[in-house]
Structure formats: C-alpha cells, structure tokens
C-alpha cells in the first residue's frame, strides 16, 4: 500500500472529480473512499479517465473503500461490496474496511434514528459476524485485503484473536495531538498497517497547522506546516491520508522529506491532546466537511 494516500471525503461532486484527477497527476496512487462519502461514482469517473490518459494500469493504483454501519449483517456485506465496486468502475478492491465497529439498523437510511433523535443500533449482529463476511470476500478473490476503521485497541485485540484472516490495516484519527502510541505499537507488533486520518487536523483553525512547534520547524527546514506534519506521520511508521483539494496542495502534500531526529523529538514532546472525531465512540462521524463551510460538525 502506498504510504501517502489521497482521501476522497469531499462533499462536492464536481470537486471530487477534479481533486481526484489532480491527486493522480501529482503522484498519489492510493485512494481512500467510502460508501458513506456518497461520491464513489465521481471517484470512479476520475480514476478511469485519469489512469487512461496517463497510461496508468489498475495494478499501479491502490483503491480502498468502506462498508457502512447499516450493512453489517452478513447477508448485506457482499451486495454492499459489489455496489461499491460498480460505482468505482473497478473489478477488484485492494482493501475493504469496516467503516466503524458500530452496526446501525439495516436499511437505506445511513443514520437511522428514533423519535428522540438517538441512533438506532443493530444488536443482532456482532463485529465478528461482519468480519466473517469480509473474510469470505477475500476468499472469493475480489478483495485483496480487509481491515477496520475507527476502532479502539481493546476491540481490535479481541477481533484480532478470533479472525481467520487478520486485519491488514487499521484506519484511525492520528496526529501529534492524538498520537495513539499504544495502538501503533500493537499494529507494528502484529504487522498491521496503521493508517492515520486527519494528519493535518482536518485543516481546522486554530489547529495543528498553526501549532507553534510545527510552524517553527517548518520555517527552519524550509517546508510548509502540512509537509512537516505528513513527514512526522510517515517517519513514525504510519501510512497517512490527506485531502488536498487543489493541484498546488496535492503537489505540496506529495512532496515531503525526512525530518531530523531533533525535529521528530520536538513534535513528540507536544503536550496538547485533542480528538477531533467522536466516531470511535458512537459510529457517527464527528466531522463531515460541508461544501460551504470548513470545520463544521455533522
Ligand atoms: N475513517 C474515518 O472515519 C475517516 C474520518 C475522516 C477522514 N477519513 C479519511 O481521511 C481522509 C483525510 O481527511 P482529513 O480531513 O482527515 O485530512 P486532513 O489532511 O487532515 O485535512 C484536510 C483539510 O486540510 C486542508 N489541507 C490539505 N492540504 C493542506 C495544505 N497543504 N496546507 C493547508 N491545508 C491543507 C484541506 O483544506 P482545503 O480543503 O482548503 O484544501 C482540508 O480542509 C479523508 O478524505 C477520508 O478519506 C476517514
């Protein structure tokens, strides 16, 4: 899996197409998608056109997508997987993730709620049931690897013990304000790729991009704060997702270079702790960017 991935959580359809095409052109070969982002069709269009015009073959790109919470029941997994493949215009998936460990009431509403506004969870299916159905997809040969997203260490340990096919990747929020060191150590010990999202703190302001330690290192080494944050993530042994929405930022985020041990140490000593996404506790994403306003919660 290419270490630097392009995340496709982009609310606007037209922007999804241009940003995905620009990312491909800037050198990104790893594309992170999800049924929940409701733009797999646009990503598929951009990848099909971009790979054809640049002479890039299917096996040179790495495509991930995710099973949404309302599709956790075993009989819903394969249809959801096939629908994603169809929308993405590809014949196999490199990686399929369970988007969150929370099962919601099955159906077409992605956020089923009761009359008091509480999410309706599905208590009839366990994470292991869903995992078994994911394993079957690998057996059938249309999915090369499976993994989990928004999972905590305790639940990961339990699933890892019972899994016939071990999780290949764990995708979680991680940045200098949320280093998730214990989870990272577990992943390294078990050869699971730790894939960090929100490496730039979702670009929220004030936030990581203006952190004084990050800004000072960026000035010193002649890089941007975004490049410093991405380099830190890669050097500590994680893969990373970022969502540049312009060609300039796509090139910037792809062009990172190693930091000195001193700089890494300075970042590791940052004391601020902040989780931006409560999805790991509820299954409901705490942050979905809106087309018109940056940083609003959903
Ligand atoms: N599993 C999950 O639950 C989950 C949750 C969230 C995200 N994800 C995945 O992770 C991907 C990454 O998303 P993220 O929000 O976490 O990414 P991020 O890179 O931390 O934040 C993206 C934001 O950073 C800004 N940005 C990007 N490059 C920049 C640069 N060079 N300088 C300054 N600002 C920059 C963007 O601003 P502009 O828009 O102005 O370019 C955008 O608003 C998503 O697309 C998705 O695939 C997964």
């Amino acid at each position: 899996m290419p270490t630097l991935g392009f995340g496709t959580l982009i609310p606007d359809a037209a922007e999804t197409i241009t940003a995905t095409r620009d990312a491909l052109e800037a050198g990104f070969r790893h594309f992170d998608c999800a049924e929940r982002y409701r733009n797999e069709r646009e990503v598929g269009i951009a990848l099909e056109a971009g790979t054809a015009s640049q002479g890039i073959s299917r096996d040179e790109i790495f495509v991930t997508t995710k099973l949404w919470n309302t599709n956790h029941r075993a009989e819903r997994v394969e249809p959801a997987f096939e629908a994603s493949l169809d929308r993405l215009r590809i014949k196999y998936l490199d990686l399929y993730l369970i988007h969150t460990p929370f099962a919601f009431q099955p159906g077409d509403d992605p956020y089923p709620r009761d009359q008091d506004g509480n999410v309706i969870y599905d208590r009839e299916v366990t994470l292991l049931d869903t995992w078994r159905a994911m394993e079957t997809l690998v057996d059938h040969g249309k999915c090369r690897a499976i993994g989990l997203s928004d999972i905590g260490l305790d639940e990961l340990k339990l699933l890892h013990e019972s899994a016939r096919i071990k999780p290949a990747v764990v995708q979680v929020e991680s940045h200098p304000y949320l280093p998730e060191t214990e989870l990272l150590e577990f992943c390294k010990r078990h050869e699971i790729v730790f894939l960090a999202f929100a490496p730039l703190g979702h670009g929220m302001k004030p936030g990581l991009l203006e952190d004084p330690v990050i800004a000072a290192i960026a000035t010193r080494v002649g890089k941007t704060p975004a490049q410093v944050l991405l380099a830190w993530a890669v050097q500590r042994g994680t893969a990373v997702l970022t969502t540049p929405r312009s060609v300039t930022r796509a090139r910037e985020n792809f062009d990172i270079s190693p930091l000195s041990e001193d700089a890494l140490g300075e970042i590791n000593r940052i004391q601020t702790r902040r989780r931006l996404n409560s999805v790991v506790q509820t299954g409901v994403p705490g942050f979905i960017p809106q087309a018109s306003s940056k940083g609003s919660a959903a």
Side-chain angles (χ1 to χ4, degrees), residues 1-7 27-32 60-64 95 169-172 174 184 188 192-199 227 229-244 253-258:
M1 188 177 88
T3 304
L4 271 180
F6 174 77
F28 283 91
R29 293 293 178 265
H30 165 184
F31 296 86
D32 181 76
E60 290 175 83
I61 59 170
F62 187 100
V63 184
T64 301
L95 175 66
V169 174
V170 164
Q171 181 183 130
V172 291
S174 184
L184 177 58
K188 284 184 177 172
I192 301 169
V193 175
F194 180 112
L195 175 57
F197 74 78
Q227 289 169 325
L229 287 163
L230 294 171
W232 172 83
V234 171
Q235 276 175 271
R236 70 196 289 259
T238 75
V240 71
L241 293 174
T242 172
T243 306
N253 294 4
F254 198 72
D255 175 29
I256 59 172
S257 9

Side-chain angles (χ1 to χ4, degrees), residues 42-121:
E42 287 76 16
V43 176
I45 290 168
L47 288 180
E48 190 178 73
T51 51
S53 69
Q54 292 182 60
I56 298 167
S57 60
R58 170 66 185 90
D59 61 3
E60 290 175 83
I61 59 170
F62 187 100
V63 184
T64 301
T65 197
K66 312 188 191 83
L67 177 82
W68 183 238
N69 301 1
T70 47
N71 288 323
H72 276 213
R73 292 205 180 183
E75 68 277 12
R76 293 178 71 91
V77 171
E78 190 155 5
F81 170 83
E82 290 291 346
S84 282
L85 274 191
D86 193 48
R87 287 189 291 265
L88 287 164
R89 301 173 178 230
I90 51 179
K91 295 196 167 40
Y92 69 88
L93 209 59
D94 297 281
L95 175 66
Y96 200 36
L97 301 177
I98 300 181
H99 202 141
T100 87
F102 297 88
F104 290 175
Q105 174 180 276
D108 293 334
D109 179 358
Y111 295 112
R113 291 182 191 269
D114 63 19
Q115 49 199 16
D116 299 321
N118 301 309
V119 168
I120 307 172
Y121 293 96

Side-chain angles (χ1 to χ4, degrees), residues 2-18:
T3 304
L4 271 180
F6 174 77
T8 64
L9 177 47
I10 301 170
D12 183 79
E15 200 177 22
T16 299
I17 296 180
T18 53

